Amino acid sequence: MLGRSLILKTAAWKPVERLVRRSFLFRPLVRRFIAGDTLEEAMTHAEKLAERGLATSLDYLGENTLNETEALAAKATYIAMLERIARSPHRDRINISIKLTQCGLDQGESFAERNFREVLTVAAKTDTFVRVDMESSDYTERTIAMIERVFPDHPNTGTVLQSYLYRTPDDAERLIRLGCRVRIVKGAYLEPETVAFKEKSRVDEAYIEIAKQLMSRGRYPAIATHDAKIIDALKAYAKAEGIDRSRFEFQMLYGIRRDLQDGLRDEGYPVRVYVPFGDMWYPYFTRRLAERPANAFFILKSLFKG
Ligand SMILES: Cc1cc2nc3c(=O)[nH]c(=O)nc-3n(C[C@H](O)[C@H](O)[C@H](O)COP(=O)(O)OP(=O)(O)OC[C@H]3O[C@@H](n4cnc5c(N)ncnc54)[C@H](O)[C@@H]3O)c2cc1C
């Protein structure tokens, strides 16, 4: 069985990236995780999901802009997404997730902050929530600090915490104090042992602990996982503590565990599906492969055959 870090390292190898990007062989697998290349395709999926009683968060794929022009183009796309959502009959069920490195964080914190604030101003006019995804640990502190600066002026934002990082219990306290919405995830990046747990059991234990804190003391947390055991444990916790189903939501990724998404919806829990779109799908796609080695094994087998 291929390990997660081996898959992420192999996928970062340029010849592998070129092959996977160009080959039609992988298209069905890419399409399973990515809703399409355009905003219109993503909206079609979001509206269909809304009709099935599922909320969505649209993600315009891309990270780490190389210059200010790229970051400004990403900001313009975020604004176009907000304007398009505002015209949808299902606008109450659709929000967006963005990345600070796509707002230009590598080009400078104040530049990224200006772009981020501009997006939030448009989102406030259309009454839409904007979630800041969490990227690799190089960006954790800058992301949380940015949210702390911006949230008092723009309460329509929140972010994500990753249970694999040792620092996350302290960050959860910071964000509970701040009062912003937090999505808790396990974490999808390749991190060194100096900052993150390696053993799945430690990541899962931390996840449950932090999720409980957020559910008891936080503001409308998002429990983002496909892990049925964790979901059951947190449902039991909510029941034991008298936490109403309307005070938190479950979130899952587009194309993963649709059965679980529908099941939770049928039980009356709010469920939101994260819907990625755009042509910069490769890094997102490789993180999904690393979570499910069987998929990556299929790709490697095809590479060696061909
Ligand atoms: C809505 C949402 C937003 C996210 N945002 C971020 C973010 O901002 N930053 C970040 O670092 N990470 C993010 N993630 C990814 C997250 O960190 C995990 O990498 C991912 O969710 C897999 O972990 P898991 O909790 O599902 O548990 P796992 O233990 O990895 O998986 C549990 C079960 O889910 C199923 N499963 C999980 N992944 C896959 C897959 N790729 N293909 C098929 N089946 C699968 C399998 O049945 C597996 O046994 C997000 C995840 C979700 C659901």
Side-chain angles (χ1 to χ4, degrees):
M1 190 115 129
L2 288 167
R4 187 170 156 267
S5 69
L6 179 62
I7 295 169
L8 288 171
K9 280 181 189 150
T10 311
W13 196 38
K14 283 291 164 196
V16 174
E17 172 171 352
R18 267 196 299 278
L19 220 134
V20 174
R21 273 184 184 282
R22 283 183 196 156
S23 172
F24 281 97
L25 199 63
F26 308 124
R27 285 285 136 166
L29 199 52
V30 174
R31 281 286 162 248
R32 183 185 156 194
F33 297 120
I34 317 294
D37 286 340
T38 65
L39 172 58
E40 271 321 301
E41 284 171 275
M43 280 302 292
T44 304
H45 288 286
E47 289 180 338
K48 277 194 194 142
L49 287 162
E51 278 155 22
R52 281 175 39 207
L54 298 166
T56 47
S57 192
L58 300 189
D59 164 41
Y60 171 52
L61 291 164
E63 40 210 81
N64 296 94
T65 52
L66 296 176
N67 52 51
E68 294 196 353
T69 311
E70 279 185 16
L72 293 174
K75 178 191 70 181
T77 303
Y78 290 155
I79 290 173
M81 289 159 71
L82 292 167
E83 287 167 348
R84 177 63 185 83
I85 292 168
R87 296 198 304 276
S88 168
H90 298 293
R91 58 184 166 274
D92 294 348
R93 285 182 185 256
I94 310 174
N95 66 33
I96 69 171
S97 292
I98 71 169
K99 290 195 170 53
L100 289 184
T101 66
Q102 214 178 7
C103 287
L105 195 54
D106 291 340
Q107 283 71 56
E109 276 187 42
S110 53
F111 172 67
E113 182 170 334
R114 270 200 309 280
N115 292 333
F116 179 35
R117 282 180 182 270
E118 212 178 303
V119 171
L120 291 175
T121 303
V122 176
K125 281 188 199 137
T126 60
D127 204 15
T128 309
F129 179 74
V130 177
R131 172 93 54 189
V132 176
D133 284 341
M134 190 56 82
E135 303 180 66
S136 73
S137 60
D138 292 342
Y139 298 103
T140 311
E141 181 54 37
R142 278 179 281 172
T143 302
I144 291 171
M146 177 86 80
I147 294 288
E148 286 174 331
R149 279 198 304 279
V150 165
F151 181 77
D153 302 327
H154 297 280
N156 58 330
T157 192
T159 188
V160 180
L161 292 177
Q162 299 151 322
S163 73
Y164 63 11
L165 295 184
Y166 306 140
R167 58 174 287 161
T168 295
D170 293 338
D171 292 337
E173 288 303 317
R174 275 167 79 176
L175 295 180
I176 287 171
R177 254 198 322 274
L178 185 68
C180 77
R181 281 159 64 169
V182 175
R183 172 201 295 153
I184 178 77
V185 300
K186 291 188 188 179
Y189 295 81
L190 191 57
E191 297 291 358
E193 222 163 322
T194 47
V195 301
F197 296 116
K198 288 286 156 200
E199 311 81 29
K200 180 176 158 50
S201 59
R202 305 283 300 274
V203 177
D204 291 358
E205 255 168 49
Y207 188 106
I208 293 179
E209 258 331 290
I210 297 157
K212 284 180 178 173
Q213 292 303 319
L214 293 169
M215 289 167 80
S216 290
R217 299 159 49 225
R219 176 166 164 225
Y220 195 68
I223 310 301
T225 181
H226 316 91
D227 189 326
K229 273 200 200 132
I230 289 186
I231 291 172
D232 285 345
L234 293 173
K235 275 160 59 178
Y237 178 74
K239 197 166 172 212
E241 296 295 308
I243 300 168
D244 193 79
R245 285 165 199 216
S246 60
R247 282 181 41 208
F248 60 96
E249 71 182 25
F250 286 109
Q251 294 191 351
M252 291 186 212
L253 300 176
Y254 177 83
I256 303 181
R257 292 301 310 260
R258 278 171 246 183
D259 56 330
L260 210 48
Q261 298 171 15
D262 290 343
L264 288 167
R265 174 208 57 202
D266 293 347
E267 289 172 45
Y269 292 98
V271 179
R272 187 177 300 276
V273 181
Y274 184 96
V275 178
F277 75 96
D279 54 12
M280 302 289 284
W281 47 262
Y282 189 75
Y284 178 90
F285 178 66
T286 60
R287 291 196 289 273
R288 303 296 75 81
L289 292 184
E291 287 154 5
R292 190 116 194 285
N295 291 338
F297 186 61
F298 164 78
I299 292 216
L300 278 186
K301 223 168 61 183
S302 319
L303 290 179
F304 288 118
K305 261 194 209 154

